Amino acid sequence: MDDARSTTDADREAGRLRATQALKAFERPGDDPRFTRLMRLAAGRLHVPRASLWLIGGTQLHCKASYGGGHDSVRPRAGSAADRLIARREPLFGQMVGADAGLAALGLGHGPGGFFACAPLIHPDGPVVGYLAVEDACPRAEPGPEALEALTDLAALAMDALLHEPPIAPSTGLRSLDTERLALAIGAASLGEFEWDRTLDIYRISPRLAKIANLPVGVIPAEDGQALFRYVHADDRAEIQRGVDEQLRKRGRYEVEFRRNPDDKGRVQWNRAAGVMMADEAGDPTRLIGVIQDITDRKQQDEQRESLLAELDHRIKNLLAVVQSVAAHSARKSSSLDVFLKTFAGRLKSMSSAHDLLSAARWRGATLARIAAAELGGLAPTQTRWDGPELFLTPRAASALSLTLHELAVNAVKYGALSTENGKVEVVWRRSPEGGFALEWLESGGPPASEPVSRGFGATLVEDVVGRELGGSARIDYRRSGVSALIQAAPEALASGPPPEPEKAAAPERIVETLIAADENIRPGAISGLKVLIVEDSLLLALELEAGLEDAGVVVVGCAAELGEALSMLDQDFDVAVLDADLNGQSVAPVAEILRREGRPFVFATGYADKAAPMGFDAPIVRKPYNVHQIARAIADVTGRH
């Protein structure tokens, strides 16, 4: 029986300790003002000078809070009245500590003849986890029922406060670390902080914000919040302020982007601001805290992107117009549909090659001769000529000049010398005495040129943009003999040596040349009866290729437009596959790898330059734009049906 009772007592004590430890009160600082106020209330209510709050651990008593001084932070539990409090679960009091050795062992620090009383802290689950004690070194009358009830209530309040303690505040080291992290994040994001104290009507400007926004650091008059709005661009100020006021009214916070007033050099900066209004307990706004970010670079990038998109749109429309003109010019000189298709396809291919050269010039710089060849060679080779010394242009100058020649060439094809069969275009350039160069564009043999009624984007691009990009000037003259242009560039437009050439990838073992020549023709019926799988993401190209191959006697077993669809069709019975290298942004390489592993031949059809072609595959490559004759010959080559 004694063993059973001992086991039960041990279980109760273990449960009590778990309840005490769950409070995590030992991990928290002992100067919590909530408990100090409770101790002051307890001392005042029982009219004693000292009060203390104790937690009962396994072997020690821990002082959580005290009032009046004279208390140790930790005392031994052994021999104290803690066990009696745990067992009785009701207040204890006495006039003479020495009269009860157990009560004296509480060690409250008063001398003989003093007064003390204590009430247990009872956890909602039942166990006693501590006690609240009051004491006086001088004798006092025995506390009455009201006083004991008040002490019990205060102990209950202390228990409730222990159960609802706020999260442990981070240590000074952790707070410092968090502060440093925040400072790093704010600095990395180019953010500056400010605060508007509405009570004092002042702004506090951080050093970061002062640097970002060119504001005075420290405290400045807020002028009812208007001081910072004066830095917003005058044209936008009223609208920005209305937006901020409306957001604060609806959500208590705001986010805006705005232009600042131009600086002394006329440059306009862009800022992004965000803030939140703080209120007091009555709900009245007292201060606004916020950040401002410099987004000038982002805005410039956005504007550049919009400009590039506009230029791309313009160039695409010009390209379509050139294609239309080339088609019409080819049709007038062709004696049959078949001749027209071959001639037209050849010119389109020449334009595609010129585009590849132009791309290289834009990114790496180029010789002026290569730029002229890229823009003029694909339009009318027999009607154009260019000549001049070898000049190496910087990438920026090469891009600008290629754009200029492109605009002039498009105009010549649509309206000028290249719109007729007898017209000529001559481009000549020479070094200038100042170290730059001068380039002349001369048209002859075409219709008389007349000044346009309205100035188009092309003329603006040539005369305004290109002149500035080359550090010189550009002028277009409209003469009866044809359009002429004079472009002058500064020495800075020239590079000191030839630009680095892109590293060429190893050429595939067999490449089908996409030039118009007699060797495109194949033996009649050479590929008849072959089963072909077409993998092409452009529906129009796939339909055209399917129709053309079927005319040659080929059986098209299927057309796939997506990578997954192509992979699922590989179990079909076919002799050869035509693979578009790129399927809506996905490489066709997985399909090619399976075909190579299975020993089935295939042909690549791609619009990419050589450096973007699928590598490592022993297969013919046909460059877009292509015609059916070129694909047919590639199929004949790869299947051995020459």
Side-chain angles (χ1 to χ4, degrees):
M1 292 296 293
D2 291 340
D3 291 341
R5 185 180 302 110
S6 176
T7 300
T8 302
D9 292 343
D11 290 343
R12 287 200 193 97
E13 176 64 9
R16 191 196 67 77
L17 287 175
R18 284 195 297 271
T20 305
Q21 292 167 356
L23 298 173
K24 297 184 178 180
F26 303 131
E27 303 174 8
R28 303 174 187 274
D31 56 353
D32 191 320
R34 298 176 304 152
F35 296 105
T36 303
R37 285 196 295 269
L38 280 174
M39 297 307 98
R40 187 166 56 245
L41 286 172
R45 178 64 182 82
L46 276 81
H47 308 290
V48 296
R50 296 193 298 174
S52 54
L53 184 68
W54 297 84
L55 297 173
I56 304 173
T59 59
Q60 294 178 317
L61 306 177
H62 301 266
C63 185
K64 175 64 177 175
S66 65
Y67 173 76
H71 300 95
D72 298 329
S73 59
V74 178
R75 290 175 180 169
R77 173 181 168 181
S80 74
D83 293 328
R84 192 173 304 182
L85 281 168
I86 292 171
R88 293 180 58 174
R89 302 170 58 84
E90 61 183 24
L92 296 175
F93 61 91
Q95 285 289 350
M96 295 294 295
V97 174
D100 189 325
L103 295 180
L106 283 172
L108 298 177
H110 46 69
F115 167 85
F116 80 93
C118 55
L121 304 181
I122 302 176
H123 193 279
D125 294 338
V128 174
V129 297
Y131 62 87
L132 190 162
V134 292
E135 55 183 306
D136 189 354
C138 300
R140 289 183 178 274
E142 183 177 306
E146 290 186 3
L148 291 177
E149 183 178 3
L151 187 63
T152 301
D153 289 343
L154 289 170
L157 287 175
M159 183 72 251
D160 186 67
L162 286 169
L163 290 169
H164 298 91
E165 285 203 74
I168 300 175
S171 66
T172 303
L174 290 177
R175 285 197 300 267
S176 176
L177 184 60
D178 289 341
T179 301
E180 290 299 325
R181 287 194 183 114
L182 179 60
L184 285 172
I186 289 175
S190 298
L191 293 171
E193 320 95 282
F194 70 90
E195 176 186 339
W196 175 25
D197 188 324
R198 291 172 59 92
T199 304
L200 301 177
D201 196 30
I202 59 172
Y203 275 119
R204 295 184 178 92
I205 307 298
S206 73
R208 275 186 290 261
L209 180 57
K211 182 178 180 181
I212 290 172
N214 195 26
L215 296 171
V217 67
V219 176
I220 63 172
E223 301 175 28
D224 197 25
Q226 296 300 307
L228 292 188
F229 281 105
R230 293 198 176 93
Y231 292 90
V232 179
H233 197 287
D235 296 342
D236 307 335
R237 190 175 301 150
E239 181 180 356
I240 293 298
Q241 185 160 6
R242 281 195 300 270
V244 170
D245 292 343
E246 183 177 358
Q247 291 184 59
L248 286 174
R249 185 172 62 254
K250 291 181 177 179
R251 303 188 295 121
R253 60 182 62 236
Y254 72 89
E255 291 185 20
V256 292
E257 293 183 0
F258 58 89
R259 293 184 299 167
R260 291 171 51 83
N261 288 320
D263 59 17
D264 53 1
K265 296 182 179 179
R267 295 173 300 190
V268 175
Q269 289 181 306
W270 279 87
N271 287 163
R272 174 184 176 272
V276 58
M277 187 67 75
M278 311 297 293
D280 58 16
E281 295 179 356
D284 297 324
T286 56
R287 68 184 62 241
L288 184 143
I289 58 174
V291 293
I292 293 178
Q293 182 182 24
D294 184 358
I295 58 171
T296 304
D297 290 344
R298 194 198 80 192
K299 281 293 185 179
Q300 290 176 346
Q301 292 170 2
D302 290 344
E303 291 174 1
Q304 183 181 25
R305 185 162 46 249
E306 290 298 323
S307 176
L308 289 174
L309 288 174
E311 178 188 334
L312 177 62
D313 179 66
H314 176 72
R315 289 181 68 92
I316 288 175
K317 291 177 180 177
N318 277 347
L319 180 60
L320 293 174
V322 169
V323 170
Q324 184 180 34
S325 297
V326 168
H329 189 66
S330 299
R332 286 197 299 269
K333 299 175 66 175
S334 300
S335 58
S336 66
L337 178 59
D338 188 60
V339 172
F340 162 73
L341 290 176
K342 289 189 176 183
T343 303
F344 181 53
R347 286 178 174 169
L348 286 184
K349 179 59 186 177
S350 180
M351 291 175 62
S352 176
S353 299
H355 177 76
D356 290 341
L357 292 175
L358 179 60
S359 297
R362 283 174 176 167
W363 292 106
R364 297 178 177 272
T367 65
L368 206 158
R370 288 185 63 188
I371 296 170
E375 291 298 343
L376 300 177
L379 296 178
T382 61
Q383 296 177 250
T384 57
R385 188 183 76 85
W386 53 91
D387 188 38
E390 187 177 61
L391 298 178
F392 299 102
L393 275 61
T394 64
R396 179 176 179 178
S399 177
L401 188 60
S402 64
L403 185 60
T404 300
L405 296 181
H406 176 80
E407 294 297 331
L408 291 171
V410 167
N411 186 75
V413 170
K414 293 167 64 176
Y415 313 111
L418 299 184
S419 66
T420 66
E421 297 180 7
N422 299 320
K424 302 288 183 181
V425 170
E426 185 177 10
V427 179
V428 294
W429 60 88
R430 62 185 180 278
R431 285 187 178 272
S432 60
E434 295 80 12
F437 69 89
L439 179 145
E440 289 186 89
W441 172 283
L442 302 170
E443 295 185 26
S444 60
S450 59
E451 184 117 9
V453 177
S454 60
R455 193 183 192 211
F457 177 72
T460 300
L461 198 63
V462 172
E463 295 185 328
D464 294 346
V465 178
V466 172
R468 184 175 67 249
E469 290 294 299
L470 294 176
S473 62
R475 185 183 75 250
I476 301 176
D477 293 325
Y478 300 89
R479 305 170 181 172
R480 289 191 57 81
S481 58
V483 171
S484 67
L486 176 62
I487 300 167
Q488 294 180 312
E492 290 76 19
L494 296 177
S496 57
E501 293 291 337
E503 184 178 347
K504 294 184 178 180
E509 186 173 322
R510 298 192 306 277
I511 297 181
V512 174
E513 298 295 335
T514 56
L515 299 176
I516 297 178
D519 61 1
E520 282 189 8
N521 297 320
I522 61 174
R523 176 173 52 83
I527 61 174
S528 179
L530 287 176
K531 297 177 182 179
V532 177
L533 172 66
I534 298 175
V535 180
E536 170 61 62
D537 60 0
S538 171
L539 178 60
L540 290 177
L541 285 179
L543 291 175
E544 179 186 0
L545 184 57
E546 181 180 10
L549 291 177
E550 287 179 344
D551 288 343
V554 166
V555 178
V556 177
V557 299
C559 294
E562 302 286 343
L563 179 61
E565 184 182 9
L567 291 170
S568 68
M569 297 177 73
L570 293 183
D571 58 353
Q572 296 192 30
D573 180 24
F574 57 88
D575 301 305
V576 62
V578 179
L579 307 180
D580 182 4
D582 180 89
L583 300 174
N584 294 315
Q586 291 183 295
S587 172
V588 79
V591 176
E593 181 59 38
I594 294 175
L595 293 176
R596 178 170 64 177
R597 190 166 59 244
E598 295 178 352
R600 291 199 276 184
F602 54 91
V603 174
F604 282 121
T606 177
Y608 287 115
D610 289 346
K611 61 183 178 181
M615 301 304 299
F617 296 103
D618 181 19
I621 299 175
V622 181
R623 306 288 177 192
K624 295 179 181 178
Y626 56 72
N627 58 38
V628 176
H629 299 286
Q630 295 164 324
I631 297 294
R633 181 196 162 192
I635 290 175
D637 287 347
V638 80
T639 57
R641 293 195 177 190
H642 303 288

